[in-house]
Amino acid sequence: RTETPGAPPPGAPSLPEGADTTDLDVRRISDVPRAPVLERAFSVTSQVYRVRWTVDARKLKSSDREAVSPLFELSFTQAVQFKMVIRPKTVHELRGGASFKKAKGKGSVEMRCLERVSSTVNPVVTFRIAVGSGHGNGEPARGPVKHDFSDRAICGLPDDIKEWDFAKHVDPETQTFVVCLEILSGAAAAAAIPLS
């Protein structure tokens, strides 16, 4: 399913032609916050399930301490809900030292399990993470990382490769960047040498 930023959802109310718009609050499209876009696709050939999250670059200038994707599900012995989380690089330990604004567009990506799952569900995921502008000119995927979400609900890349320069990947036209989570399965997961 693909969601388009700025487009009204199907069946959304609209004004009839010739309606009086004098009392309406009309704002420029650039003033309207864009909803995060999540695209999901599975490649039968590579056995990779990709979750692409298009992030509004205005987040990188905010004092926020994290950005969270819309939820997506992965199937084990049952469906389990996840989200991606972007965290800014910690610049200093004082108040505001872990904000996107202070980090100047640098940070990390983590995968968060939203449910408490037992080991009987076997919630083991082998994944890679990539960041880009959405036009195919991003950095290569980093990883793979193999993680059991029954042990810990959140996991990212190892410390030595976890930092991304998100600002470097902002598309100047759309003012967005893309985070791609690649879930490896089958032969791709078996062939992957997990990072420690």
Side-chain angles (χ1 to χ4, degrees):
R1 189 174 117 211
T2 302
E3 299 166 12
T4 306
S14 60
L15 293 173
E17 278 191 47
D20 180 17
T21 60
T22 54
D23 291 336
L24 293 179
D25 175 22
V26 178
R27 298 184 287 172
R28 294 187 331 259
I29 290 175
S30 61
D31 292 339
V32 179
R34 288 169 279 201
V37 176
L38 202 66
E39 297 174 284
R40 297 168 284 259
F42 180 75
S43 169
V44 176
T45 313
S46 66
Q47 295 290 292
V48 175
Y49 177 66
R50 287 181 181 84
V51 181
R52 289 175 39 106
W53 174 28
T54 302
V55 185
D56 189 329
R58 290 179 289 186
K59 182 62 83 174
L60 300 177
K61 293 178 170 52
S62 74
S63 58
D64 293 351
R65 295 163 41 107
E66 72 176 21
V68 182
S69 77
L71 68 84
F72 57 94
E73 288 186 342
L74 297 179
S75 293
F76 303 100
T77 56
Q78 69 185 49
V80 179
Q81 295 181 338
F82 288 86
K83 287 187 178 187
M84 283 184 269
V85 179
I86 299 173
R87 295 187 192 280
K89 174 183 177 179
T90 301
V91 178
H92 56 74
E93 298 300 322
L94 301 174
R95 182 178 169 94
S99 71
F100 286 107
K101 186 184 236 177
K102 291 277 187 194
K104 297 183 179 166
K106 294 187 174 142
S108 59
V109 181
E110 297 172 322
M111 190 174 165
R112 179 188 292 162
C113 181
L114 301 180
E115 303 172 38
R116 187 172 217 154
V117 288
S118 74
S119 57
T120 58
V121 174
N122 194 24
V124 177
V125 179
T126 303
F127 67 92
R128 297 185 298 224
I129 297 172
V131 174
S133 67
H135 295 294
N137 54 354
E139 293 182 47
R142 297 178 191 171
V145 171
K146 187 174 185 176
H147 182 72
D148 184 343
F149 284 92
S150 66
D151 291 338
R152 188 163 182 257
I154 196 157
C155 181
L157 295 169
D159 286 345
D160 58 330
I161 61 169
K162 76 177 185 177
E163 186 176 303
W164 297 93
D165 187 350
F166 301 119
K168 181 172 100 176
H169 298 289
V170 173
D171 181 319
E173 190 175 306
T174 63
Q175 288 298 300
T176 60
F177 62 96
V178 175
V179 176
C180 183
L181 174 68
E182 297 183 339
I183 309 292
L184 309 181
S185 63
I193 300 167
L195 300 169
S196 52

